[in-house]
Amino acid sequence: ETATTEVFGPSTINQPPTNPTEPAAVETQPPPKRKRGRPRKQPQAAPPAAEAAAGAAGQAPAAGEAAVAAAAGAASNGAAARGGASGGLSSAASDGGSSGSSGSVTSGEEAGGRADGTATASSSGTAGGGPKYVAGAARWRVTSGVEVDAKGFSAAAGACLKVVDLEEAEWTSFAAGIASLAIKQELRKDEFARYMEWFDRNGPFDVLVDGANVAFYGQNRPSGGFCWKQIMSMMELARAKHPGARVLLMLHLKRIQDPEAAKPEVQAFLEHLKSQRAFYYTPPGSNDDWYWLYATVKAKHKGLLISNDELRDHIFSLLRPKHFLKWKSRHIVHYSFTPEGVPSLVYPAAFTQCVQELENGSWMFPGQDGTWLCATPVAEGAEGKVAE
């Protein structure tokens, strides 16, 4: 019998002899094929404390209110979180805002509850696991379904919600961004630049009236149309509500060229506005939204826009969301007319509906149903401490 040998490969039987001076060929197995599929997710770093607070509010039904308390505690431990959560508009609404304290409360290996429908958690732990409660550290009482009055005061938090608006540098940046985009978007590039020069000579204005939006209010009927009477009554109301303020009416050029604008009462109204430099018409081919938006932003904190426009036009998607959303929540005044043509105004709330840390250290999270979730720090040993 013939012995067979195998060296890293097939049998060498009946193979021609190899040259001893040459290295033997070695067959290697091909590398295994990789299975097709989605790439593996890489572990993500933990979010900053302020983002964790906002995220916990949005996930209240799943994680329970303890997540809110733990996130509020984590945010309170960092100076950056104090400014971050209260400075930016957040849409982290808590679906569990009115559901009561139904979530389990766990801080590390501890759990506690109160008979009054509130829940507590340690600021040193997180919902569902983490370090044990540290003696002397603050605890959090979380209350859902919290009401806030018209002035922003919350009895549960014992403090008032604040107004969150743009900072000084943001106003400048926002106005410059609007001007840059408007010049690029306009058909006649020099028109908006000419308007900016006019504004520098005659502005700023405290109140802007979106003339076309006001004129077409309630006019979607067979006899409806561009209503000058509504514009005139709105201008009168704006001046009555803001005595001493400068009110500017904006309209497109074609509106003052309509036959209705030739009526004596309309001509007298427009001449009066022109004499006070309280009227500006946008040229053909221009989008008047850029014009009143720029004027309102240039007025900074005092600027108000009277309009029912929801600002969903695609042009607004070109603006920085951080700036635009802050401005939109604070500087638009809505209105309505009675059947008799009497206007009324609806001003923004006295506070901003966003995640906020209040002056006393409490955290407030807005809910989708109009109520709030409140996380209040409770010192160890203070009255009302949860029994362990």
Side-chain angles (χ1 to χ4, degrees):
E1 295 183 2
T2 305
T4 61
T5 59
E6 190 172 2
V7 180
F8 301 108
S11 172
T12 57
I13 300 176
N14 301 324
Q15 298 295 325
T18 58
N19 189 341
T21 61
E22 295 181 359
V26 178
E27 291 193 12
T28 59
Q29 298 294 328
K33 294 183 179 180
R34 296 185 60 182
K35 294 183 179 179
R36 294 183 179 180
R38 295 183 179 179
R40 295 182 179 178
K41 293 183 179 181
Q42 298 297 325
Q44 298 180 354
E51 295 182 11
Q59 298 171 2
E65 293 169 357
V68 178
S76 296
N77 289 334
R82 289 182 179 271
S86 61
L89 282 176
S90 171
S91 60
S94 171
D95 292 334
S98 59
S99 61
S101 299
S102 58
S104 60
V105 179
T106 307
S107 177
E109 299 176 6
E110 294 184 344
R114 293 172 62 93
D116 59 358
T118 61
T120 64
S122 166
S123 63
S124 60
T126 57
K132 287 187 177 182
Y133 174 79
V134 179
R139 297 176 66 82
W140 295 89
R141 182 173 64 248
V142 179
T143 309
S144 62
V146 172
E147 300 289 342
V148 174
D149 65 18
K151 295 182 179 180
F153 179 76
S154 166
C160 280
L161 291 160
K162 300 172 289 187
V163 170
V164 178
D165 210 338
L166 277 73
E167 302 293 337
E168 188 64 29
E170 291 178 318
W171 286 114
T172 304
S173 174
F174 192 23
I178 293 169
S180 176
L181 286 170
I183 292 173
K184 291 178 181 178
Q185 295 284 319
E186 291 290 87
L187 297 177
R188 300 170 63 179
K189 307 299 182 184
D190 59 331
E191 290 293 351
F192 197 84
R194 187 178 295 112
Y195 165 69
M196 292 171 64
E197 294 174 0
W198 178 89
F199 187 90
D200 289 340
R201 294 192 306 269
N202 300 283
F205 298 90
D206 306 300
V207 182
L208 281 294
V209 178
D210 184 357
N213 187 271
V214 171
F216 280 115
Y217 178 90
Q219 298 299 311
N220 55 342
R221 59 180 187 270
S223 61
F226 194 88
C227 184
W228 280 98
K229 288 185 179 180
Q230 291 184 175
I231 293 180
M232 289 187 276
S233 60
M234 183 60 75
M235 288 293 291
E236 183 179 354
L237 177 62
R239 286 173 169 167
K241 289 284 189 179
H242 302 271
R246 301 195 63 196
V247 183
L248 177 66
L249 171 66
M250 282 198 166
L251 283 171
H252 199 275
L253 175 62
K254 65 181 180 181
R255 295 303 171 189
I256 63 176
Q257 295 175 340
D258 290 342
E260 288 291 321
K263 292 181 177 181
E265 62 270 22
V266 177
Q267 285 296 308
F269 169 70
L270 292 176
E271 288 301 322
H272 177 68
L273 293 182
K274 289 177 183 177
S275 67
Q276 296 184 329
R277 292 182 173 84
F279 172 60
Y280 192 90
Y281 64 84
T282 56
S286 296
N287 188 333
D288 59 351
D289 292 358
W290 289 121
Y291 290 75
W292 51 248
L293 179 59
Y294 179 81
T296 311
V297 171
K298 288 291 285 185
K300 299 182 179 179
H301 300 282
K302 297 192 301 180
L304 291 173
L305 170 67
I306 298 178
S307 178
N308 282 345
D309 194 329
E310 295 296 333
L311 308 184
R312 294 172 180 168
D313 195 288
H314 71 281
I315 68 168
F316 301 114
S317 65
L318 303 175
L319 301 171
R320 291 189 63 184
K322 177 183 178 182
H323 294 163
F324 179 68
L325 294 176
K326 276 187 182 181
W327 173 84
K328 181 180 177 181
S329 70
R330 298 302 318 156
H331 298 276
I332 297 182
V333 179
H334 296 289
Y335 66 89
S336 62
F337 283 91
T338 65
E340 296 74 27
V342 179
S344 61
L345 301 176
V346 180
Y347 288 84
F351 54 91
T352 303
Q353 293 207 8
C354 67
V355 178
Q356 295 191 27
E357 183 188 19
L358 308 186
E359 294 180 355
N360 63 358
S362 297
W363 284 83
M364 295 287 286
F365 302 86
Q368 292 180 343
D369 61 352
T371 63
W372 294 71
L373 201 66
C374 175
T376 305
V378 181
E380 174 70 10
E383 183 180 355
K385 171 196 166 187
V386 63
E388 298 186 14

